[in-house]
Amino acid sequence: QVQFVESGGGLVQPGGSLRLSCAASGSIFNIYTMGWYRQAPGKQRELVATDTSGGSTNYADSVKGRFTISRDNAKNTVNLQMNSLKPEDTAVYYCNVDPPLLPWGQGTQVTVSS
């Protein structure tokens, strides 16, 4: 069974940057569209970025121009470079396929605060 392990979160000031990484067991990256999701306190989980197996990327309007998703199929990893972070980016971030048909990992907490 595929498992996702997210890392790279932390506390950062507004305007700062973080780079999240997701490692997956099993060879799925070359098949599926991969996505980064986030869930803020009291809110539903939302999709923020996707990267298809063909290399096309898409972003939620709220992160467009600030976040960049990338994948390494050989290493079964997908990353999320987050720049110009805002307090409203505070959430637990998860990776999964799109649509999210596989079990969720534990996620990584991102807190943007001064």
Side-chain angles (χ1 to χ4, degrees), residues 21-34:
S21 293
C22 169
S25 60
S27 298
I28 63 169
F29 277 41
N30 60 337
I31 300 174
Y32 292 102
T33 293
M34 292 301 303

Side-chain angles (χ1 to χ4, degrees), residues 7-92:
S7 62
L11 173 64
V12 64
Q13 292 187 341
S17 298
L18 283 173
R19 183 175 177 84
L20 307 184
S21 293
C22 169
S25 60
S27 298
I28 63 169
F29 277 41
N30 60 337
I31 300 174
Y32 292 102
T33 293
M34 292 301 303
W36 277 98
Y37 301 76
R38 69 184 180 187
Q39 187 167 21
K43 295 187 177 181
Q44 289 190 332
R45 196 169 301 182
E46 63 173 343
L47 178 64
V48 297
T50 59
D51 189 327
T52 70
S53 59
S56 298
T57 58
N58 283 286
Y59 301 91
D61 288 343
S62 59
V63 307
K64 199 170 294 184
R66 300 187 297 122
F67 290 11
T68 302
I69 187 172
S70 61
R71 64 196 288 167
D72 186 331
N73 290 336
K75 296 181 179 179
N76 282 359
T77 58
V78 60
N79 302 308
L80 187 68
Q81 178 66 43
M82 306 188 297
N83 299 326
S84 303
L85 283 162
K86 304 176 180 180
E88 51 263 43
D89 295 319
T90 295
V92 180

